Amino acid sequence: TLSLLAPLSSVAQFQPNYDEAKVPKFKLPDPLFADGSKVDSVEAWMQKRRPEIYSLFLTQMFGKAPGKPDSMVFETETEANALDGQAIRKQVTIYPLGKEKPIQFDMLVYLPAQADGPVPLFVGLNFQGNHTIHTDPGIKITSSWVRNNEGLGVQDHQATEESRGGTASRWPVEMILEKGYGLATIYYGDIDPDFDDGFQNGIHPYFYKEGQTKPAADEWGSIAAWAWGLSRALDYFETDAQIDAARVAVIGHSRLGKTSLWAGATDPRFALVISNDSGCGGAALSKRAFGETVGRINTAFPHWFCGHFKQYNENEAALPFDQHMLISLMAPRPVYIASAEEDQWADPRGEFLSGLYASPVYELFGLQGLSVSAMPAVDQPAADGTIAYHIRTGKHDVTAYDWQQYLQFADRFLKK
Ligand code: GTR
């Protein structure tokens, strides 16, 4: 990930804390406490407390996004015999604002060839283009801006043939299909290129009011835009008879794990939410200031969150919420939080604690949140509850091991 860091001097000088003894004393807001009293019913949660918490994340962290546009157009190319007959491959061009507006999201969809009805599906954004997730020669190569990457043969921000299959280890397509699930992915740069250009490219400018040149301090940053793109994918699934739009899991890694969590919070149509190594601004508690901090992330990536989030730089104590409350916004839907042992930057313990402190909200629904109260050992998933957690050996990545756990977890909720 080092190659993804912005070369700012203040960023280079940042010294992360990796010492548990130096975690500041902090007090977490109680998701089930409002106006001096305990939230004691599902109704009070859904009608009052959840909207309150949601509005804090919306205006103070991720920023407000537009709703579902009414001018969307989908164009689909289908290959009935992809991956040696194992899959139906669809490449769906999503024109979120209609064909007159020159912005399109290319979505790659694989569905199991043998299915006796609409299938459940995983959807997630990818970092380097759809063609990097599998060597399948039929996958279109994106013409959007991509990050230069020597290993993937990307120069001048243009994807080439050389990167086909280059990130396949993160996308075990055959394994997913064998288990009866579909998989859909969009290159996140189709929605908003991941660099700070003052919001001149990507989806944002299409929504500026007369005279507006950038989002207001409570309006969407890039993460909210990527999450908005995921909801447009879901809009498509609702039109495809081979996909069961009521059984869609949203998954993301790292910055895209922050994105899958926000997608789950903003769009209740996502039936299951997966955060893979999402870290700061994702599942990790900000107030622990362990590894990456709010100030560090807002300096290196000023475009990810909304303007208002910058007021918490070096000032996590002032946050009126923390990330356990982001997890609580998924309730009662299942959520899986995963960490990696060598990914201390993302604060695995802070990711676990978010799941733990979100659990009382699930209990309000009569469900078990996390099934354990102490952090599990590495490679010992705690996945019996409606919130699941594991910390895997190894580094910041998505692996077949991670996917095996997600598939097993999904089987409990998304299989008929
Ligand atoms: C890092 C960033 C993390 C995480 C990661 C990634 O540079 O500090 O928050 O998002 O990038 O997305 O790979």
Side-chain angles (χ1 to χ4, degrees):
T1 41
L2 272 181
S3 61
L4 300 183
L5 299 181
L8 299 169
S9 57
S10 56
V11 164
Q13 280 153 25
F14 175 74
Q15 292 290 336
N17 172 43
Y18 290 130
D19 182 353
E20 209 45 62
K22 291 193 181 130
V23 168
K25 284 246 168 333
F26 62 89
K27 204 172 166 309
L28 292 179
D30 182 341
L32 289 182
F33 200 80
D35 300 337
S37 67
K38 199 88 188 156
V39 175
D40 57 4
S41 70
V42 166
E43 206 204 345
W45 168 257
M46 290 308 272
Q47 304 302 320
K48 187 157 185 297
R49 186 57 174 150
R50 188 189 187 279
E52 254 167 42
I53 295 173
Y54 178 68
S55 132
L56 288 173
F57 280 101
L58 190 65
T59 61
Q60 301 293 300
M61 187 171 185
F62 295 98
K64 297 176 191 163
K68 176 179 174 176
D70 31 47
S71 46
M72 252 182 297
V73 174
F74 306 117
E75 278 178 0
T76 307
E77 273 176 37
T78 304
E79 166 56 63
N81 197 19
L83 308 183
D84 297 324
Q86 196 191 355
I88 299 163
R89 183 188 65 227
K90 299 189 184 191
Q91 300 196 77
V92 183
T93 308
I94 302 174
Y95 297 92
L97 306 174
K99 291 188 76 167
E100 313 71 55
K101 297 280 159 59
I103 180 151
Q104 61 185 67
F105 311 154
D106 285 326
M107 178 161 65
L108 169 67
V109 184
Y110 286 116
L111 302 176
Q114 256 83 52
D116 25 276
V119 294
L121 167 145
F122 290 84
V123 63
L125 302 177
N126 68 74
F127 280 92
Q128 295 282 345
N130 296 346
H131 66 293
T132 66
I133 79 141
H134 197 281
T135 51
D136 180 350
I139 305 174
K140 292 183 200 166
I141 297 186
T142 182
S143 54
S144 299
W145 179 97
V146 285
R147 183 171 290 97
N148 285 344
N149 183 310
E150 233 182 284
L152 292 173
V154 181
Q155 290 169 19
D156 305 323
H157 303 295
Q158 281 308 305
T160 64
E161 281 291 334
E162 209 180 321
S163 40
R164 247 183 223 293
T167 64
S169 65
R170 289 181 169 183
W171 301 93
V173 178
E174 284 80 358
M175 178 166 105
I176 296 164
L177 293 167
E178 262 160 40
K179 297 269 188 183
Y181 294 89
L183 173 68
T185 187
I186 298 173
Y187 168 53
Y188 79 143
D190 282 3
I191 305 163
D192 187 30
D194 187 8
F195 62 91
D196 180 25
D197 74 331
F199 298 104
Q200 298 315 300
N201 61 18
I203 188 72
H204 299 88
Y206 292 98
F207 290 92
Y208 291 161
K209 298 185 205 82
E210 184 82 32
Q212 188 176 8
T213 55
K214 61 175 201 293
D218 65 350
E219 288 180 336
W220 54 347
S222 292
I223 292 178
W226 299 326
W228 186 87
L230 284 163
S231 286
R232 306 294 69 85
L234 201 34
D235 296 337
Y236 167 77
F237 304 146
E238 288 180 338
T239 70
D240 187 327
Q242 291 176 302
I243 298 169
D244 185 349
R247 291 187 291 150
V248 171
V250 62
I251 180 168
H253 169 60
S254 205
R255 66 197 66 183
L256 296 178
K258 311 179 208 303
T259 304
S260 60
L261 288 172
W262 187 236
T266 50
D267 194 335
R269 293 176 300 170
F270 288 112
L272 188 150
V273 180
I274 302 166
S275 151
N276 192 94
D277 306 0
S278 62
C280 179
L285 292 176
S286 299
K287 292 178 193 279
R288 275 170 52 81
F290 186 102
E292 188 172 29
T293 62
V294 171
R296 170 58 172 72
I297 203 167
N298 278 333
T299 308
F301 308 104
H303 56 298
W304 284 2
F305 300 96
C306 74
H308 280 158
F309 196 47
K310 315 302 188 271
Q311 64 188 297
Y312 305 103
N313 290 358
E314 276 59 77
N315 192 20
E316 285 89 353
L319 275 167
F321 55 85
D322 209 331
Q323 300 307 102
H324 62 307
M325 292 157 92
L326 178 60
I327 305 300
S328 77
L329 294 178
M330 317 303 165
R333 293 165 295 156
V335 48
Y336 201 120
I337 303 168
S339 311
E341 192 181 17
E342 290 167 34
D343 189 16
Q344 293 299 307
W345 180 246
D347 186 15
R349 189 171 168 74
E351 296 186 306
F352 167 76
L353 289 175
S354 268
L356 185 65
Y357 297 140
S359 295
V361 178
Y362 282 74
E363 285 155 22
L364 193 64
F365 285 87
L367 298 167
Q368 185 181 42
L370 265 181
S371 58
V372 295
S373 52
M375 182 142 170
V378 287
D379 301 333
Q380 300 290 321
D384 296 331
T386 312
I387 301 175
Y389 176 83
H390 75 242
I391 175 166
R392 134 182 90 60
T393 40
K395 62 183 178 61
H396 184 69
D397 198 1
V398 196
T399 67
Y401 177 90
D402 295 320
W403 273 102
Q404 277 154 11
Q405 315 315 316
Y406 303 151
L407 286 161
Q408 245 179 58
F409 185 64
D411 279 351
R412 276 177 48 216
F413 301 100
L414 304 183
K415 275 290 166 69
K416 285 213 167 120

